[in-house]
Amino acid sequence: MTDRRFEDLLQQAGAFFAQSERDPEAEKQAAIAEIVETMKRYGLTLADLRATE
């Protein structure tokens, strides 16, 4: 196996493990928290958001 192929395999393995460590529910909760914080900062309400539809 060449050094380049070995490096490619290591990179693929790293990407695989990074993907497997993702926590979609935690990411969703973080996004919700960020949205709520932004709404508070700018004084936005759900009515404001609905008005843009």
Side-chain angles (χ1 to χ4, degrees), residues 1-2 5-8 10-12 17 21 23 30 33-37 40 42 44-45 50 53:
M1 179 180 310
T2 66
R5 177 70 179 138
F6 181 71
E7 291 294 326
D8 287 344
L10 282 178
Q11 186 176 23
Q12 289 174 10
F17 286 113
E21 292 175 4
D23 183 351
E34 184 178 344
I35 291 166
V36 169
E37 176 58 33
K40 286 179 183 178
Y42 293 101
L44 298 172
T45 66
R50 288 187 181 116
E53 292 179 357

